[in-house]
Amino acid sequence: MPSHNAPGNAVMWFRRDLRLGDNPALLEACSADGVLPLFVLDPALWDPAGAPRRAYLAASLHALDTSLHRHHASLSVLHGDPVEMVVRAARTVGAGQVHIAADYGPYGHRRDAAVEEALGEHGIDLVRTGSPYAVAPGRVFNGSGQPYKVYTPFSKAWMEHGWRAPVDPPAGAHWLSLDETVAIPVVEVPDGLELPDAGEASARARWEAYLTDGLDDHDTGRDRPDQDRTSRMSVHLKWGEIHPRTMLADLASRRSRAAATYRKELAWREFYADVLFHHPQSAREYLRPEFAAMTYDEPGAALDAWREGRTGYPIVDAGMRQLRATGWMHNRVRMIVASFLVKDLHLEWQHGARHFMGWLVDGDLASNQHGWQWTAGCGTDAAPYFRVFNPTSQGRKFDPQGTYVRRWVPELADVQDPHEPGPVGDYPAPIVVHAEERLEALARWEQIR
Ligand code: FAD
């Protein structure tokens, strides 16, 4: 049995850090005599993931394996409970240490504690180096030592805290592999779904193209789904194909306003991870508990119409269809469809958040649940509940020529004003009247004020 901190071999257990570059945990692992690159397909995460996310993850694992081949290594994949699989892998290669980037989500945190305990029984250490964030959740506090509840002061303190410079990819490691593994799954991409290219090389290429051609328009273009000018980096960040530290270092070398705005977008991601870390129950429950007492409708036909893009509100339907076709939706439209579910259909945010997690390739518990709670008025910062998005005027404002709606709702391609709700051919009449539901939402809110 290896003793604590024995030199010898190590395992690099990849999870949502599917890259070789700027990966401090991997560098630590590579200082061992031999290192096993390992991924565990955990049924607790794999089984409930929607087809788009599974297909993307499988493609990203293939890409990681290809990157490892260039180092004459390959990714060993096991299928099963990580508590059992990681211990088995570590013991098979005689590892004294298993290296990971720390996971701060509720499930990952619990899983890692269980793996750590099981490894400890065999004298093997679990070593956490870095995290998927520039500043790990739980590091930034206000003057009274409390976590921030509001984004803007958090983002300032986060900037002041700062982060490390990126690190180089590993060189000269001695790579190990397991004899008994499962193949990296090949997941059929569901019919008609167009997924972005996965992997570290694609993430870097996308980021570099955005720095050259997109960033300068970030300030003006990011709210326009018709122009589609956001970076599309969320999916690469979700799977750790690039680390935000790498992106922040590139932004620091550009002193433009657009670079500063983009940095603030990344701060939202870090803020929500921090909030979820301090309030793990907010993955399922209202961050502001008083909202649990509001009257909501039972899910039924209206939820189905929303999910399928048949509400009769063109911008809502366009967003919901973009989600099904590409596994992604523009941020402005995410807000519009979320507001519609909660305030026009009077359904609890969790129904919508679950649907998003099933379809989004960038589906991330912290950003998704808190994006939903923010829009629903029960989360951080509070978009105040009484500010109810009007889907028609939002559509006209952010998709002025109707290009976005025409693209995703072909029934409306040829109508003069595609934002005007109303039945057109096969396109349905609105399932609710927005002006009436707005008043209904406000009345329900009055009851809990
Ligand atoms: P850009 O505008 O180019 O932004 C750059 C990066 O900043 C993003 O990739 C993302 O990492 C970060 N970012 C920007 N805005 C936000 C934000 N509001 N919250 C958190 N991070 C942000 N983002 C996810 O990554 N995963 C989710 O599951 C998710 N669910 C959401 C659900 C709702 C209801 C809402 C309103 C927002 C959600 N977001 C989520 C945030 C945001 O919509 C996406 O990050 C963004 O649309 C991704 O596209 P992009 O990379 O082109 O963004």
Side-chain angles (χ1 to χ4, degrees):
M1 190 184 291
S3 66
H4 269 287
N5 301 321
N9 294 333
V11 174
M12 171 64 200
W13 177 21
F14 288 95
R15 296 99 62 84
R16 43 178 300 190
D17 44 0
L18 305 179
R19 65 179 186 283
L20 301 186
D22 190 10
N23 190 333
L26 177 62
L27 275 194
E28 287 290 323
C30 287
S31 63
D33 292 345
V35 55
L36 171 74
L38 175 73
F39 188 88
V40 180
L41 283 168
D42 176 355
L45 295 175
W46 181 260
D47 294 350
R53 214 163 49 253
R54 275 195 223 169
Y56 189 90
L57 171 58
S60 190
L61 292 174
H62 281 284
L64 179 63
D65 191 43
T66 305
S67 305
L68 283 163
H69 289 173
R70 279 187 221 111
H71 292 257
H72 310 289
S74 60
L75 185 65
S76 289
V77 179
L78 297 177
H79 181 271
D81 181 353
V83 174
E84 199 185 317
M85 293 302 139
V86 175
V87 173
R88 183 189 298 175
R91 295 191 73 199
T92 306
V93 299
Q97 296 174 328
V98 172
H99 291 268
I100 57 170
D103 191 323
Y104 289 87
Y107 173 78
H109 204 69
R110 275 198 314 275
R111 172 202 57 205
D112 291 352
V115 171
E116 184 168 33
E117 196 184 325
L119 286 169
E121 286 168 16
H122 299 278
I124 305 168
D125 290 335
L126 184 72
V127 184
R128 296 171 177 83
T129 309
S131 76
Y133 303 99
V135 179
R139 289 264 173 82
V140 175
F141 292 99
N142 66 18
S144 348
Q146 297 298 313
Y148 284 98
K149 294 196 175 119
V150 178
Y151 164 78
T152 305
F154 170 89
S155 69
K156 288 188 181 138
W158 172 81
M159 274 294 287
E160 277 162 24
H161 182 284
W163 37 82
R164 294 184 186 180
V167 295
D168 289 331
H174 175 64
W175 300 98
L176 308 171
S177 62
L178 295 175
D179 291 335
E180 283 178 35
T181 59
V182 297
I184 300 175
V186 177
V187 178
E188 287 275 322
V189 177
D191 209 15
L193 186 73
E194 304 162 38
L195 292 182
D197 289 341
E200 181 173 11
S202 304
R204 292 274 179 149
R206 169 116 218 146
W207 177 234
E208 274 152 33
Y210 189 71
L211 285 176
T212 315
D213 288 334
L215 179 66
D216 289 343
D217 294 333
H218 188 81
D219 271 348
T220 49
R222 85 169 295 265
D223 254 338
R224 291 285 299 270
D226 54 339
Q227 298 182 351
D228 202 7
R229 287 197 282 178
T230 64
S231 68
R232 301 279 187 127
M233 291 305 292
S234 53
V235 64
H236 302 302
L237 284 163
K238 154 74 198 177
W239 295 109
E241 296 167 338
I242 190 167
H243 195 277
R245 190 176 40 231
T246 309
M247 298 163 72
L248 287 161
D250 288 334
L251 293 170
S253 63
R254 285 151 213 263
R255 294 172 188 278
S256 62
R257 218 180 105 188
T261 309
Y262 197 95
R263 193 158 39 236
K264 288 187 194 147
E265 306 296 349
L266 292 175
W268 274 108
R269 177 176 177 272
E270 308 244 338
F271 174 55
Y272 284 150
D274 192 69
V275 176
L276 183 62
F277 173 69
H278 289 293
H279 306 278
Q281 77 289 355
S282 67
R284 311 268 169 261
E285 292 163 20
Y286 291 85
L287 187 70
R288 297 165 173 236
E290 65 272 23
F291 276 83
M294 206 155 84
T295 311
Y296 298 96
D297 288 0
E298 284 299 318
L303 178 60
D304 292 341
W306 178 84
R307 284 190 188 128
E308 289 160 18
R310 294 186 285 103
T311 67
Y313 281 92
I315 189 88
V316 174
D317 295 338
M320 299 309 294
R321 295 186 195 187
Q322 181 183 29
L323 177 62
R324 281 181 177 247
T326 66
W328 186 87
M329 194 194 302
H330 189 279
N331 179 64
R332 169 59 49 182
V333 192
R334 291 188 203 202
M335 294 195 286
I336 297 170
V337 305
S339 175
F340 188 83
L341 182 95
V342 174
K343 296 181 189 173
D344 287 72
L345 302 182
H346 316 294
L347 296 173
E348 295 192 83
W349 66 268
Q350 293 90 333
H351 298 295
R354 204 170 305 123
H355 180 76
F356 267 34
M357 285 303 279
W359 282 89
L360 281 173
V361 279
D362 67 17
D364 170 82
L365 199 67
S367 296
N368 188 56
Q369 311 308 80
H370 284 286
W372 271 93
Q373 296 227 38
W374 183 90
T375 317
C378 54
T380 61
D381 283 72
Y385 190 84
F386 57 80
R387 201 174 290 156
V388 179
F389 276 177
N390 177 325
T392 310
S393 49
Q394 285 280 314
R396 290 209 173 102
K397 182 165 175 200
F398 295 107
D399 177 30
Q401 275 82 46
T403 319
Y404 177 77
V405 163
R406 289 181 214 279
R407 166 148 192 221
W408 295 110
V409 187
E411 303 97 297
L412 302 177
D414 299 322
V415 304
Q416 204 188 356
D417 179 2
H419 289 296
E420 188 57 46
V424 178
D426 290 343
Y427 188 70
I431 56 170
V432 293
V433 177
H434 171 71
E436 290 170 11
E437 303 310 334
R438 177 176 168 277
L439 294 177
E440 173 66 19
L442 295 179
R444 293 188 191 200
W445 179 61
E446 284 297 334
Q447 291 167 359
I448 60 154
R449 275 181 78 186

